[in-house]
Amino acid sequence: MNLTVFPRRGYIQSPTPLEAAPKLSQLLNGPNIYLKRDDLLPGAGGGSKTRKLDFLMAEALEQKADSIVTCGAVQSNHCRLTAGAAAREGLECLLVLEERVPDSYKPRASGNNLLFHLLGASTIRVVPGGSDMDAETAKSAASLRDAGKKPYVIPGGGSNPLGALGYAVCAEELLQQCFFLGLRPDAVVVASGSAGTHAGLLAGFAGCNASLAVHGISVNRPRAAQEDKVYSLAAKTAKLAGLRDRIARADVVVHDGYVGPGYSFPTAGMREAVTMTARTEGVLLDPVYTGKAMAGLIDLIRKGVFHKGQDVVFMHTGGSPALYVYEDEFLAARGE
Ligand SMILES: *Cc1c(COP(=O)(O)O)cnc(C)c1O
């Protein structure tokens, strides 16, 4: 696997930290937990999408685009980071937001919504939950073309094979860090949503001949549907990366017990995970992705799936700006 052949924008100049989380590990009396701090990636507010945008924005500029169209949920981290990257490249940015929870779009909401505006997204179009988002972004792109513009469309979460290469890079980077730390992790735990992160990691580990179990924690779909989505994207990403071997379907592992009532809805496990990680390690997770992924890791430790003597890497993919629209959840839990 030689990922240097793909054009990139160079948003990422150095590896993100791989940090031990000794207090959290001790409290759970389980494996040694390590945090891969992709929440500290460059880009407005940090987080995983910068790795994908590094490749996607390079293609946009190669195609001489003057505008970017992308989509996401009303508090999308991907939309925030895309708006930031577009600002940096001097491109217009149009966001199509899917109101997955009825009446959840608040034009004056804090968190990522505030940042969409601050980062200069030119247009925000809100469509009902369940809309065909590929069709909606295509529609927005068509109207820009009618106005004489040259839009580049980035799919939700930046999760196409080119974007997912960003996480094949991360897989190589992580193995390199483990090498220098003398660490042989037993598993990686990651939030699995639009699937580019999970699929890219699988392709990257395969490309390095590393048999390392990747446990995806679904934030949205039931297990079979999410595994199919990850598998399909991992296969395409591996092909793009020039891998000879196929990804095995059996290597795609998703746990769907931590979604709760649905995407972005708070759960007791998420609240516990966010609070515990903050108070043991001083690290902020988020309510939609990493909070539920950590709830999954905590539960899998309590069930004995991961145990003492093992080393587990938790991918911290970012998202903390969304905490600021969940203040009632966390303050109410303290009775305040
Ligand atoms: C987008 C996102 C994820 C999920 O990544 P996918 O590639 O969409 O599966 C996880 N965590 C955070 C904070 C995100 O913004």
Side-chain angles (χ1 to χ4, degrees), residues 20-277:
K23 291 261 182 56
L24 181 61
S25 307
Q26 195 182 15
L27 184 63
L28 292 166
N29 196 28
N32 300 312
I33 300 169
Y34 292 81
L35 304 175
K36 177 62 174 158
R37 298 292 306 274
D38 271 14
D39 58 315
L40 301 179
L41 280 166
S48 54
K49 303 309 182 304
T50 296
R51 289 196 190 269
K52 300 168 174 180
L53 289 164
D54 201 10
F55 289 93
L56 295 166
M57 294 300 280
E59 186 174 78
L61 292 176
E62 227 172 40
Q63 294 179 6
K64 308 247 182 301
D66 57 13
S67 44
I68 302 289
V69 179
T70 197
C71 63
V74 297
Q75 280 289 334
S76 164
N77 300 304
H78 164 70
C79 287
R80 180 222 331 138
L81 282 160
T82 303
R88 178 173 169 156
E89 304 294 0
L91 308 180
E92 192 180 330
C93 181
L94 193 154
L95 303 176
V96 185
L97 302 183
E98 181 188 1
E99 199 175 33
R100 295 183 187 174
V101 179
D103 295 325
S104 60
Y105 177 69
K106 305 269 186 291
R108 297 177 63 84
S110 178
N112 284 314
N113 180 72
L114 165 67
L115 301 177
F116 300 158
H117 293 281
L118 187 63
L119 293 163
S122 66
T123 310
I124 295 175
R125 192 160 75 79
V126 183
V127 300
S131 298
D132 178 342
M133 296 308 286
D134 288 336
E136 292 298 337
T137 47
K139 211 194 288 179
S140 286
S143 61
L144 283 177
R145 262 182 231 108
D146 288 345
K149 299 256 176 192
K150 203 156 185 311
Y152 178 85
V153 175
I154 296 179
S159 287
N160 58 15
L162 186 63
L165 282 186
Y167 270 86
V169 172
C170 181
E172 272 192 321
E173 177 182 309
L174 177 62
L175 289 171
Q176 188 88 20
Q177 288 175 307
C178 289
F179 177 83
F180 286 115
L181 288 171
L183 194 65
R184 287 167 54 184
D186 297 282
V188 173
V189 173
V190 62
S192 197
S194 67
T197 312
H198 189 172
L201 286 173
L202 287 172
F205 289 135
C208 295
N209 280 322
S211 52
L212 211 171
V214 180
H215 292 257
I217 309 292
S218 178
V219 297
N220 193 4
R221 287 174 204 83
R223 175 180 150 190
Q226 186 66 15
E227 286 184 350
D228 287 348
K229 194 175 167 71
V230 172
Y231 178 60
S232 157
L233 183 55
K236 289 177 196 152
T237 307
K239 187 155 182 262
L240 179 63
L243 268 62
R244 260 175 258 127
D245 295 333
R246 296 223 192 137
I247 308 278
R249 176 64 177 78
D251 288 345
V252 182
V253 176
V254 168
H255 304 270
D256 66 1
Y258 311 100
V259 179
Y263 176 83
S264 81
F265 281 103
T267 62
M270 177 281 287
R271 270 197 301 269
E272 180 191 27
V274 170
T275 308
M276 194 187 281
T277 308

